[in-house]
């Protein structure tokens, strides 16, 4: 059992003190008290990226683009920001919990879970293979530790996260619920039902992050169906919006701590996180083309050459 | 024919409302959600007693299913409430992924199912919900037959772990089952033992099957009547045992004849005991506006239709 | 066959001239060239209201509240604003067409259609009765002239109207598509998919009106799930928003002509129309209680006493 | 056993793409819509030739169905394209009200149906779509068996007036039907005449049924193989005629055994000609990640499963 706690145990008073402290950290631009330095987190993220390309290569299917773009965020979340235990319990009572709504970027989720101790990293090799717990899209059906809901059909995770957050309130559990969504995913109407519901119902223990990479399957989001100003939209719906650079570890760590400091203030928090699809592998970067195809052997080698191995490959 | 009587008529949805309140009193983890139809779903008593355990979602059924799934993660037992159409077809993919495939302990409770919704017409009268829900692996599908059974079922599903679809209706109908019954999920209720024909009925059609049984008795036909309140998992043993004895079956449901209980029975028999079967069900059409009674007559779901189906199926079985 | 044309035949050049003219009318605050005076339109609306309460009373079911609130709007649309013919053709090519998304207010739709000549007013007496073409919610299934889509399950009409508007563009048909939605209905996510799609795709031959009565079944919208500033939301999604008083005939006529003058300018138009649920019948006014129940005999008499008969009851 | 051969393997979705292009060339009213899956649906050629007749909807399937319904009003013939799950369960109520009940001329075209979608896993592998669509009054439901048949069907449904659900798949499979065929909606295709057993197959299972027929022939069993490409309206006459001759039937579909083609056949036979039937179908479970072939084997949808089902059903029929 591995226990991660970003700061102190999360009780309400300490929590409050800590929030203020976080906020000060944020404005000082120097997140403190982390178990890992920024450099260490960057190293972990590099390993996560290696895992992603190797997993996708191993089964010749899956979604490297969005996964790579979110590697820094997932590393920050699982290795620094969330108060969580890898002794997995479905109810997650007393800990921060995370939902992946854009389930197609499962490789980054699986790597973050394995690397932070939820299950053996060797199991990453089974990704998308018959009888694996690491299904193409995350599922509870195969009882993989760390997964609390199935996703893959887009647009459902925000609602689930709200429900989990409201359960925490009923349980007087002051920990936080995180959810990650794709930007293209926001075209699904169910999100807007949830986006309308959360502020009105003061779901302020929820931090939603948008993987704002400007890409979806058929092309750049602004060509397929532009989201225009997401900030304006979320604000018009009553959210507290912060922005961040999801591929700058310092910034994303800072933003997530700041977001946490905003919980409990009556509003849900939206972290509009700019990322680059395929980040970390030069020839995959910035294009929707690598949304959902696997590298061949050569491309794998070229990818790995750009990504230092830090925690040993599985 | 065993005698069934009633002293009052009530709507099955009120049985749900009463059951929900009692389930809520028994277990503090029971919570309720509604999509702007509190009165229709008879949730008022629950809300009054447990305001903090009620979630008003507004007109957003997809969000309701997702929130319910999320609530289970924190150990809650959510009961969602809206009309049957908006409980199933409107949110099929949400139920599929966030509830059924994720095996979440959500109770999807659906009122105003079938033709007896009446005047609102076809957009609201879903006749496909049993089929929709029965195709989902792991889903339990229940359609109760009167106030008491609905109340008992509501209490029972709160104690059962796993996703459930509970279907009930709008009109008042005879209350004829035991007020103190214990509801056993998946166990058919033998309404009347008989030897000539098996009548398998669910929901509002059970009382009509009893009426038909009485009329058939007068014609010298001894009908075995089985209430299949749980369509999934289907009590296959009960049906097979009965049809083995009678040799023929009539299925009765307030549903399209495609995809529903009737086809489940046909499948079962085709693999175990091929037998003549007749369907008392809507003949693959949408409903329309009208009073419940008018519609049940126009769409062939009346007592007389059961009687005629029995006569036809017995003839086919050379009886 | 009855032909209504608000101004001139709707060809592109005249259309353009007319738009400017409309706009001038609007800023002059004096809509001109109407076939009916405001007084005449108000009289028709009174008859429409009588029809509504009589229909709902006749079958002891249905939705008087929203219907009464939209009586002025529907009168303005069918007797003044729309260029349409009652010689009903499903494709509506060359004419303005209307969709009712909040199908539960069918009584006002049926009355407007019958009173403007689509079918005999006597048929209103069949509302919600067995074998009627006037189903509880509007449907094409029974071939009632004037209806182009079924509605009743909320949230679908905006998408349909967009499709019809895009078909008009493909057909080089310069007429306008109107759609009416409930405010509570906007809680349905499909609307937001449509609201995001229309501006990006320049569906500028579409005028959507919201029946902004602040009520839905379970209570005031702000208690059930507040919509907060709808204007801010629609603007954040890229619509041209105008506001109007849907129970002031002068204002709604003016607003609709102004809205029409805004078509063809690259943006869909949103008419945020304040109404009072139950408007015209004092004891029904302003409460969600009359969303969906029928008056008894006494209440019917009390209602009719407040509403002058102008075109003869059916 | 009639000999079927093939020289190439292609995916049925490419047959759709080719058919869509040709339908678009034939009729200027044909338009296409897609929800961010243009490449998967093979719509590129159509879009290239008719950019102004293509509507990119983004990831908003409900809106896509509504827009398609609206487009029909102006006389267009819209073909919507997305994966089968998002074409049906995701938008069931929208199809129900705005398309089926409104009788709009929308062609709902669905790729990646069934287990053969492969590695994406259960959230994407719908096994209930046939059941979903067959329950809608007025809906025509088609599941084609190879590239050529899919192409022909796509062209045929453009000429047919009314709502259609067209189901096809992802993997490459043998192309064995006539490239110049005319597709007749609702008319079963007699793949092989035989006397011992009727095999009714749809979609990807047709080629497997042919393979099974060959293996059965070696065992001395003369199987009649019928391709039911149109599941609704079902060619009841063809099935009844065959089962009257053979006395038993095996249905084969890449679908849950609940609610699909198999149950439609069971219903038909139960009312006309009760006969032993076996189901080659998924046994009420979700799928999972794996290669198409692995999954077809694991979930019992292989040639061998058809052979075994035939042997079982013939034994049950005392043959
Ligand atoms: C309901 C639904 N519709 C369509 C899809 C197919 N799909 C998978 S990923 C994707 C694009 C998602 O875009 P975005 O959320 O921006 O993710 P990114 O491509 O940036 O990783 C689509 C359309 C799906 N999984 N679910
Ligand atoms: C999808 C769907 N969910 C629920 C309903 C039930 N319903 C009918 S009207 C209504 C309230 C609508 O509110 P609003 O749009 O504001 O209309 P108003 O009450 O003002 O007439 C509801 C929830 C429905 N018809 N469709
Ligand atoms: Mg993206
Ligand atoms: Mg309202």
């Amino acid at each position: 059992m591995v226990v991660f706690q970003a700061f102190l145990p999360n009780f309400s008073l300490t929590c409050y003190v800590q929030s203020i402290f976080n906020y000060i950290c944020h404005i000082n631009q120097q997140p403190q008290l982390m178990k890992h330095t920024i450099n260490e987190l960057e190293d972990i993220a590099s390993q996560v990226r290696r895992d992603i390309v190797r997993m996708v290569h191993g089964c010749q299917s899956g979604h490297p683009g969005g996964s790579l773009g979110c590697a820094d965020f997932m590393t920050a979340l699982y290795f620094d920001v969330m108060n969580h235990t890898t002794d997995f319990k479905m109810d997650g009572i007393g800990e921060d919990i995370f939902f992946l709504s854009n389930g197609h970027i499962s490789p980054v989720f699986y790597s973050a879970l394995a690397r932070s101790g939820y299950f053996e990293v060797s199991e990453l090799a089974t990704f998308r293979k018959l009888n694996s717990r690491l299904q193409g899209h995350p599922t509870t059906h195969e009882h993989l530790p760390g997964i609390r809901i199935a996703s893959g059909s887009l647009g459902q995770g925000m609602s689930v996260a709200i429900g989990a957050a409201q359960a925490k309130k009923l349980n007087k559990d002051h920990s936080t619920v995180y959810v990650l969504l794709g930007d293209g995913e926001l075209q699904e109407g169910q999100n807007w039902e949830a986006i309308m519901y959360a502020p009105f119902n003061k779901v302020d223990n929820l931090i939603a992050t948008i993987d704002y990479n400007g890409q979806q399957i058929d092309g750049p989001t602004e060509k397929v169906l532009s989201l225009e100003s997401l900030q304006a939209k979320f604000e018009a719906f009553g959210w507290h919006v912060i922005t961040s650079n999801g591929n700058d570890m310092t910034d994303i760590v800072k933003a997530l701590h700041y977001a946490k400091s905003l919980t409990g203030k009556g509003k849900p928090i939206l972290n509009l996180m700019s990322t680059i699809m395929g980040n970390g592998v030069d020839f995959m970067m910035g294009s929707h083309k690598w949304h959902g195809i696997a590298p061949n052997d050569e491309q794998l080698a070229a990818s790995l050459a750009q990504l230092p191995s830090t925690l040993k490959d599985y | 024919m065993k005698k069934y009587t009633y002293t009052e008529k009530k709507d099955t949805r009120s049985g749900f409302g009463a059951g929900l309140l009692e389930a809520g009193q028994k277990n503090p983890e029971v919570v309720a959600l509604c999509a702007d139809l509190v009165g229709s779903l008879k949730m008022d008593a629950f809300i009054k007693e447990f305001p903090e355990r009620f979630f008003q979602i507004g007109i957003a059924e997809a969000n309701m299913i997702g929130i319910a799934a999320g609530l289970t993660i924190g150990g809650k037992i959510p009961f969602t409430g809206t009309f049957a159409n908006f409980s199933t077809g409107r949110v099929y993919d949400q139920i599929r992924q966030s509830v059924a495939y994720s095996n979440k302990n959500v109770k999807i409770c659906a009122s105003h199912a079938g033709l007896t919704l009446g005047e609102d017409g076809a957009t609201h009268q879903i006749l496909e919900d049993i089929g929709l829900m029965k195709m989902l692996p792991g889903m339990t599908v229940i359609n109760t037959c009167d106030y008491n059974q609905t109340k008992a079922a509501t209490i029972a599903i709160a104690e059962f772990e796993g996703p459930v679809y509970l279907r009930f209706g709008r009109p008042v109908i005879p209350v004829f089952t035991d007020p103190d019954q214990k509801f056993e999920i998946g166990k058919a209720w033998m309404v009347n033992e008989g030897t000539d024909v098996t009548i398998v009925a669910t929901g509002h059609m059970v009382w009509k099957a009893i009426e038909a049984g009485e009329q058939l008795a007068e014609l010298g036909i001894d009908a075995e009547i089985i209430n299949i309140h749980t369509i999934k998992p289907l009590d296959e043993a009960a049906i097979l045992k009965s049809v083995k004895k009678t040799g023929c079956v009539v299925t009765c449901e307030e549903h399209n004849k495609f995809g529903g209980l009737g086809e489940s029975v046909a499948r079962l028999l085709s693999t175990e005991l091929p037998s003549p079967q007749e369907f008392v069900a809507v003949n693959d059409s949408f409903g329309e506006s009208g009073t419940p009674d008018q519609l049940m007559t126009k769409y062939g779901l009346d007592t007389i239709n059961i009687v005629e189906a029995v006569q036809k199926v017995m003839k086919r079985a050379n009886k």
Side-chain angles (χ1 to χ4, degrees), chain A residues 66 104 152-154 182-185 188 213 215-217 277 291:
Chain A
H104 59 279
S153 177
L154 294 167
D183 51 358
E185 184 179 14
E188 286 288 355
N213 62 12
Q215 306 291 336
Q216 58 191 107
I217 291 182
M277 184 173 260
H291 159 91

Side-chain angles (χ1 to χ4, degrees), chain A residues 90-93 97 99 135 137-142 148-154 156 158-164 166-167 170-171 190 193-194 197 201, chain B residues 29 31 52-53 55-76 93-95 97-104:
Chain A
M90 179 56 82
D91 66 17
I93 290 178
I97 62 179
F99 296 99
Q135 290 290 301
H137 296 82
T139 176
T140 59
H141 201 260
E142 317 299 333
R148 293 193 166 85
I149 196 84
S151 57
S153 177
L154 294 167
Q156 303 186 28
M158 180 78 105
S159 303
V160 173
I162 289 171
Q166 292 198 296
L170 281 180
N171 291 338
Q190 183 181 346
E193 297 180 353
Y197 176 92
N201 289 285
Chain B
E29 302 296 1
V31 299
E52 76 294 348
R53 280 157 57 190
F55 299 86
Q56 170 60 268
I57 308 292
I59 315 172
E61 293 81 6
N63 193 36
M64 177 165 73
I65 296 298
I67 291 176
L71 282 162
T72 67
I73 293 170
K76 304 302 156 199
D93 189 41
Q94 285 80 14
I95 296 176
Q97 172 167 289
S98 296
V99 178
Y101 183 47
S102 293
N103 193 26
K104 294 301 178 208

